[in-house]
Amino acid sequence: MKVIQYTPEKLHTALVSNSQYLTKVYSKYTKEEKRLLEEGFHAGQPGSLFQLLTVHSDSDWILAHPEEPEDFEAFYRKPYRKTPNESQSTIYIQTIGSFGEVAAQTDQYMEWLRDYCQAFFYGLSVKLLPAVAVSETKCSFRVNSNSYNLQILTGDLLQFLKKRKPKDAFCIVGITMIDLYPKDSWNFVFGQASLTEGMGVFSFARYDDNFYKRSYAGRLKKHLQPRQEDYSVFDGYYTPPITSSLLLRSCKTMTHEIGHMFGISHCQWLSCVMQGSNHLDESDRRPLDFCPICLRKLQFAVGFNIAERYKALLHWMDEDQTQTSVKASASHTTPHFTKPTEAFNASKLWVCRCLEILEKDQ
């Protein structure tokens, strides 16, 4: 395992900048906010809030995709960086296909993701578009020749999203439980985005704990080769059970990819949700939230109060489990699905520590 560690001076420059103007902007943070952000200078030390970036194999993202670390000043000066404004300040989420065995389960899962996204990108509106079946996208699809599961073509889905994107959208993201591929020569892709268009599509299919096992229920019979435009093959197609680990992985992926829509590059400073990942183990090692440098980037773009954002995230993790599905329907016949947040326990304790720093002198 390789540990990537920068000096406190280097991290200070990455966070604050040598620019006189950006240093003045940084000075407007409260002393409590600065104390939290500057915790990153002590990453890896006992009791530190933030951890060092680690590389475990040659297949990890940081070695496979060498990139120049992006400090706050480089982010600020990006010519193509998008910032929400009064006319375009809504994040739209488009569900493609089913996320559960019954429609109510899909609806509830999407509400959990929407609410989490609303807390994570605190201050912006997050809305769900009506779910669509795969057939409505008119996308190309195939059976993967190695894993024998269904896959849908990302380029076609992006074209579909472009037509569905509302005028007030900051961005639109399509999410699905069906595996994706970007072109015939590729085995699969976790997702694909067009940052200039403010849209992306991402799959959670490979976040099923059983995906890489021969017993995976999404495998089709080897001889099955469905005709294009015969979307009946997706009717009743397997969707993984909604577990706490699947919800955690979904929240990480969704916020990571939407983070790119703000112009935030892959993080190479500290352990951070904006780290790139080439495989599930690497993705699971990522924390649920930002490092201080990426947090400053998002806060600058959106303008939220840092403490209020953490309170919103804590509320989502700590929400009364018996109440999570009440808003879904007033009918007693509506199935009840408890939000599985066990996998978020470590993150919940971390958020509480952040709030202790932010509220220490209040």
Side-chain angles (χ1 to χ4, degrees):
M1 181 180 74
K2 178 182 178 182
V3 178
I4 298 175
Q5 184 170 11
Y6 296 95
T7 64
E9 293 77 18
K10 182 76 171 179
L11 291 171
H12 182 277
T13 300
L15 174 67
V16 181
S17 168
N18 288 324
S19 159
Q20 185 176 2
Y21 170 72
L22 294 181
T23 300
K24 184 177 181 180
V25 173
Y26 181 81
S27 70
K28 295 179 181 178
Y29 285 116
T30 67
K31 64 178 181 179
E32 291 79 17
E33 290 170 335
K34 290 177 187 173
R35 189 180 303 153
L36 173 74
L37 293 169
E38 292 168 13
E39 271 282 315
F41 304 162
H42 314 295
Q45 296 181 12
S48 175
L49 268 178
F50 301 98
Q51 302 305 313
L52 298 174
L53 186 59
T54 58
V55 180
H56 292 244
S57 73
D58 291 342
S59 64
D60 281 6
W61 180 276
I62 200 166
L63 294 183
H65 303 274
E67 299 173 84
E68 190 70 25
E70 179 188 79
D71 58 22
F72 178 77
E73 184 172 348
F75 164 80
Y76 174 79
R77 299 194 186 283
K78 271 185 178 177
Y80 58 87
R81 178 171 59 86
K82 290 188 63 179
T83 301
N85 54 52
E86 289 185 5
S87 61
Q88 294 181 317
S89 60
T90 302
I91 297 170
Y92 283 93
I93 302 175
Q94 173 68 71
T95 310
I96 302 168
S98 174
F99 271 60
E101 295 179 357
V102 294
Q105 191 173 24
T106 298
D107 294 343
Q108 181 63 87
Y109 193 76
M110 293 311 303
E111 283 290 335
W112 292 334
L113 290 179
R114 190 208 72 84
D115 290 348
Y116 182 80
C117 191
Q118 183 92 55
F120 194 93
F121 299 101
Y122 189 77
L124 297 183
S125 174
V126 182
K127 296 181 181 179
L128 297 175
L129 293 171
V132 297
V134 177
S135 58
E136 294 180 61
T137 69
K138 306 298 182 185
C139 67
S140 299
F141 61 93
R142 72 179 186 184
V143 177
N144 184 287
S145 58
N146 296 313
S147 52
Y148 305 109
N149 61 291
L150 285 171
Q151 296 181 302
I152 47 184
L153 185 64
T154 53
D156 290 350
L157 295 176
L158 288 174
Q159 287 300 313
F160 172 77
L161 292 174
K162 186 175 182 178
K163 296 175 183 176
R164 299 269 291 186
K165 186 179 178 182
K167 291 183 178 180
D168 67 337
F170 169 70
C171 66
I172 180 172
V173 292
I175 59 176
T176 182
M177 282 291 190
I178 302 167
D179 206 23
L180 302 173
Y181 72 106
K183 53 185 177 180
D184 290 339
S185 59
W186 283 50
N187 184 37
F188 79 96
V189 70
F190 283 116
Q192 186 174 348
S194 172
L195 303 188
T196 56
E197 299 275 2
M199 59 188 187
V201 60
F202 318 105
S203 170
F204 302 146
R206 292 176 182 253
Y207 291 155
D208 181 355
D209 289 331
N210 297 315
F211 186 89
Y212 293 97
K213 298 179 181 178
R214 295 190 63 84
S215 59
Y216 177 62
R219 286 175 174 260
L220 301 178
K221 295 180 180 179
K222 294 183 181 181
H223 66 267
L224 180 62
Q225 291 296 332
R227 301 189 323 275
Q228 290 296 319
E229 300 184 7
D230 180 9
Y231 295 99
S232 63
V233 70
F234 291 97
D235 295 342
Y237 183 61
Y238 171 76
T239 56
I242 294 175
T243 63
S244 189
S245 63
L246 180 65
L247 181 60
L248 177 71
R249 290 164 176 168
S250 299
C251 288
K252 279 187 185 181
T253 297
M254 180 178 64
T255 52
H256 172 102
E257 300 298 350
I258 294 175
H260 284 318
M261 303 292 180
F262 290 86
I264 303 174
S265 297
H266 285 122
C267 183
Q268 299 193 51
W269 296 108
L270 298 167
S271 183
C272 177
V273 74
M274 290 307 296
Q275 287 172 234
S277 66
N278 272 347
H279 48 82
L280 186 57
D281 286 344
E282 188 176 20
S283 179
D284 282 345
R285 288 197 300 268
R286 294 185 301 194
L288 193 61
D289 211 334
F290 287 126
C291 73
I293 297 166
C294 292
L295 177 62
R296 187 186 178 195
K297 293 173 184 177
L298 184 69
Q299 194 280 331
F300 180 83
V302 180
F304 52 70
N305 177 282
I306 296 176
E308 292 304 315
R309 175 180 177 271
Y310 282 131
K311 288 176 184 178
L313 287 168
L314 182 61
H315 175 74
W316 185 92
M317 297 176 196
D318 207 24
E319 191 175 13
D320 184 352
Q321 302 298 292
T322 63
Q323 299 297 319
T324 49
S325 68
V326 170
K327 61 183 176 183
S329 174
S331 171
H332 294 292
T333 61
T334 301
H336 173 81
F337 302 103
T338 300
K339 183 164 62 176
T341 55
E342 309 83 59
F344 293 80
N345 286 342
S347 296
K348 177 181 172 181
L349 293 174
W350 182 86
V351 170
C352 287
R353 289 184 61 198
C354 291
L355 284 170
E356 285 177 5
I357 292 174
L358 291 166
E359 300 177 331
K360 187 172 182 179
D361 297 330
Q362 295 181 15

